[in-house]
Amino acid sequence: MSRFLNKKYEALEAYVPGEQPRGMEYIKLNTNESPYPPPPAVLDAVSREELEKLRLYSDPECAELKQALADSYGLERKNVFVSNGSDDILNFAFMAFGADGAVFPDVTYGFYKVFCALHGIPFAPIPLTEQFEIDPQDYFGAQRMIAIANPNAPTGIALPLAQIERIVQENAEHVVLIDEAYVDFGAQSAVGLIKKYDNLLVVHTYSKSRSMAGARLGFAFGAAGLIEDLERIKFSTNPYSVNRMTRAAGTAALCGSAAAYYREKCALIAKTRDELRERLLALGMEVLPSLANFVFARCAAVDGETVYQQLKQRGILVRHFSTPRIRDYNRITIGTPAQCDALVLAMQEIMKEKQQ
Ligand SMILES: *Cc1c(COP(=O)(O)O)cnc(C)c1O
């Protein structure tokens, strides 16, 4: 830290992203990326012609991309916001809507509390139930901005749409942000509700189900007023936050053939997930019921940190969090079936060694 840093950032604890190893080849099951590449339409979209246009700024309105998103979700362009990854959008949303404070679960995406700290937003974590579930009633009448990841991370557990709707109804004077980063793997989306409620913001990303984590593209749906508020903040920081290559790739990812490819891959990942869960349960592990592209699992005999280390020694990276309530667990991204086989084999060895 230099002596020049603004005092208000001295105590800021930045978000720690999952490891992105260089060098040694790991089976990488730690940051919920897709194990499958983007479809051909996306690869072809970043053409030489497109690259030649790099001398020009990208379209700050992102009109074409927004229209394509609006068309795919049956909405209007004024209901769509896009920016550089959904983290960017979450940041803007906390800035825009967090004036009265924010609430979110005690166990959820670790970035929410970082945004609150960054912007001086008071926040109150609401404990999940014993079963790591969200009790909707805990959010009724919150009188603050609410942020809920659905499915939640790192648990993978999803709330049914009717319960999300109740939370939106019972907090009508504040924004309810539903972070649907993992919704394409089997949960119910709240996108259909945005026409009905002016306080609902639904945030999506290309990083997980669309195999484009490295492109940095997120989008959000909400009433036109909410989108205008987000645009105001985006245009006060970086109007060009979506670059030309990403805009081209992101638009191509919505075409018919790409959409069919993603549906197939999401179904495959969901099937691999359900099989992996069964296999880990059969080993005697505890695995929360996930509708995301990861499972959250613990093993009674070996603590979470040791499981993480032992898997890493065997060339498999998973995500471990050291926060007290979840330190016995690891979050395991769903890879290809072969990668999941390797994980099950490694877990078998780790648990057997412990018994000896
Ligand atoms: C991965 C993730 C994001 C971030 O996605 P980006 O679009 O890559 O910034 C947002 N919310 C949750 C819950 C996530 O797990």
Side-chain angles (χ1 to χ4, degrees), residues 176-196:
V176 177
L177 184 161
I178 305 298
D179 180 349
E180 296 190 347
Y182 301 105
V183 79
D184 296 329
F185 301 103
Q188 293 173 294
S189 175
V191 170
L193 297 178
I194 67 134
K195 287 180 188 157
K196 212 163 142 192

Side-chain angles (χ1 to χ4, degrees), residues 254-326:
L254 301 167
C255 76
S257 68
Y261 172 95
Y262 289 128
R263 268 196 302 277
E264 182 200 316
K265 291 297 184 262
C266 286
L268 173 58
I269 288 167
K271 178 167 169 276
T272 312
R273 170 195 70 212
D274 295 344
E275 286 166 2
L276 177 66
R277 177 163 188 258
E278 290 305 318
R279 292 165 79 189
L280 294 178
L281 288 171
L283 290 183
M285 291 182 77
E286 186 192 326
V287 189
L288 300 187
S290 168
L291 284 179
N293 68 338
F294 56 82
V295 291
F296 203 45
R298 81 169 158 185
C299 135
V302 194
D303 69 273
E305 169 79 29
T306 305
V307 168
Y308 163 78
Q309 292 293 354
Q310 300 250 336
L311 284 172
K312 191 168 177 181
Q313 278 171 24
R314 288 169 169 80
I316 301 175
L317 270 189
V318 297
R319 186 91 198 253
H320 179 256
F321 299 94
S322 49
T323 22
R325 204 177 165 189
I326 54 172

Side-chain angles (χ1 to χ4, degrees), residues 9 12 44 52 55 175 180 201 216 224 237 254 259 309 311 321 327:
Y9 298 127
L12 184 65
D44 294 341
E52 276 168 1
R55 67 183 186 82
V175 166
E180 296 190 347
L201 186 71
R216 311 307 305 129
T237 51
L254 301 167
Q309 292 293 354
L311 284 172
F321 299 94
R327 69 157 70 106

Side-chain angles (χ1 to χ4, degrees), residues 15 31-33 83-90 108-112 115 148-154 177 179-182 203-208 212-219 293-294 331:
Y15 179 72
T31 47
N32 298 342
E33 292 134 329
S83 201
N84 189 301
S86 60
D87 288 338
D88 212 27
I89 302 178
L90 297 171
T108 191
Y109 188 36
F111 227 139
Y112 302 153
F115 293 131
I148 289 179
N150 194 43
N152 196 13
L177 184 161
D179 180 349
E180 296 190 347
Y182 301 105
V203 182
H204 279 217
T205 175
Y206 278 73
S207 296
K208 289 27 188 273
M212 282 171 59
R216 311 307 305 129
L217 186 56
F219 53 107
N293 68 338
F294 56 82
R331 191 193 67 193

